[in-house]
Amino acid sequence: MHLLNRPLATALCSAVALCAALTGCSPQPEEKASGKDGTATSCTPGGLATKVPGKLTVGTDRPAYAPWFADDDPSNGKGFESAVAYAVAKRLGYDRDDVVWQNVPFNSSFAPGAKKFDFDINQVSISEARKKAVAFSSGYYDVRQAVVALKSSKAAKARSLAGLKDLKLGAQVGTTSLDVINDLVEPTQRPAVYQRNDFAKSALKNGQVDAIVVDLPTAFYITGAEVPEAKVVGQFPTSRRNTERFGLVLDRDSGLTSCVSAAVDALRDTGTLATLEKKWLSEAVDAPVLT
């Protein structure tokens, strides 16, 4: 993957100025998470009971998409989630050389069963259903879902949820993007489901779907760097009570959960998460809320 191009970077800078006016634009305080029993054996810096002693194993999917990662290389520290992972590692007492990246398919990260990673970072939204199989850290990013359509399509003119109802929509399997389509839009046509966002983008370009639903930063990257003939039609509404958050995924019985959550909370309290968000993620400049 490649870093944001110059036009998108310019849009990002303009977006930052409007960040304070947007709901869910930066990480918000929340109830702090803990491990299954609410405790951890020890949070001694660099001395956690990790999968490999002295190392911190971090999982994510491949390919690793921008703007969450850059150049399809999670280990380079570029992109929001790569930067967050290394910031969490540092808080836990692990240097960059102590972080080992592992390829973990998106759906596998929160599926039932023992994990080979210490935590996974891959735009996984915290949900009660997923908590039955895995543990989550505190949320590190507040996110909205957005609609992307070709500028020349009828979908590009949608201004409300009702305007999306009769369209053929698509999203990646197992994502909250697909949940939003089914639960909020309730389309008259069954949505198209794809294993990867790359397949959804191809379907959009080929006219197999009218629009796709992805998280807002990804929507701006798609339209700014990958499918310039597309636009962000709008974003879905949210509220403080139902804000969607991405969390780090851990084994359901992990003793590290409270330590990892404490690290995330510290990064939020010191403003580090907000700083990384401004640096790596484009914000909604022209994405009306679809109601």
Side-chain angles (χ1 to χ4, degrees), residues 33-35 38-50 88-94 250 254-264:
S34 64
T39 63
T41 55
S42 171
C43 290
T44 303
L48 303 181
T50 54
V88 170
K90 184 176 181 180
R91 277 279 173 180
L92 295 174
Y94 293 90
L250 298 94
S254 176
L256 305 182
T257 304
S258 59
C259 296
V260 173
S261 283
V264 173

Side-chain angles (χ1 to χ4, degrees), residues 108-180:
S108 298
S109 65
F110 52 84
K115 306 304 178 187
K116 295 181 179 180
F117 52 76
D118 293 308
F119 68 75
D120 182 275
I121 183 166
N122 191 26
Q123 306 115 67
V124 181
S125 297
I126 301 169
S127 72
E128 292 304 315
R130 290 172 178 170
K131 284 181 179 179
K132 295 177 181 179
V134 295
F136 283 97
S137 71
S138 300
Y140 61 87
Y141 178 68
D142 296 352
V143 66
R144 284 191 180 197
Q145 298 296 317
V147 179
V148 175
L150 297 181
K151 296 174 184 176
S152 59
S153 70
K154 61 180 180 180
K157 300 177 182 179
R159 294 294 180 268
S160 66
L161 296 179
L164 301 172
K165 202 170 186 66
D166 293 328
L167 301 179
K168 182 68 174 181
L169 304 175
Q172 183 177 342
V173 65
T175 62
T176 49
S177 301
L178 184 58
D179 292 339
V180 164

Side-chain angles (χ1 to χ4, degrees), residues 5-139:
N5 59 16
R6 187 178 299 275
L8 186 59
T10 301
L12 185 153
C13 292
S14 299
V16 167
L18 298 182
C19 183
L22 295 171
T23 302
C25 181
S26 61
Q28 301 296 321
E30 60 181 281
E31 183 179 350
K32 297 180 177 160
S34 64
K36 184 179 180 183
D37 60 0
T39 63
T41 55
S42 171
C43 290
T44 303
L48 303 181
T50 54
K51 300 295 183 183
V52 178
K55 301 290 184 180
L56 188 68
T57 303
V58 181
T60 198
D61 204 353
R62 176 63 62 86
Y65 298 108
W68 309 104
F69 301 93
D71 302 319
D72 195 18
D73 181 9
S75 67
N76 62 17
K78 299 177 181 179
F80 180 69
E81 290 194 326
S82 180
V84 168
Y86 281 116
V88 170
K90 184 176 181 180
R91 277 279 173 180
L92 295 174
Y94 293 90
D95 294 331
R96 183 164 176 155
D97 291 342
D98 297 326
V99 177
V100 178
W101 288 89
Q102 182 181 83
N103 180 20
V104 180
F106 178 79
N107 286 334
S108 298
S109 65
F110 52 84
K115 306 304 178 187
K116 295 181 179 180
F117 52 76
D118 293 308
F119 68 75
D120 182 275
I121 183 166
N122 191 26
Q123 306 115 67
V124 181
S125 297
I126 301 169
S127 72
E128 292 304 315
R130 290 172 178 170
K131 284 181 179 179
K132 295 177 181 179
V134 295
F136 283 97
S137 71
S138 300

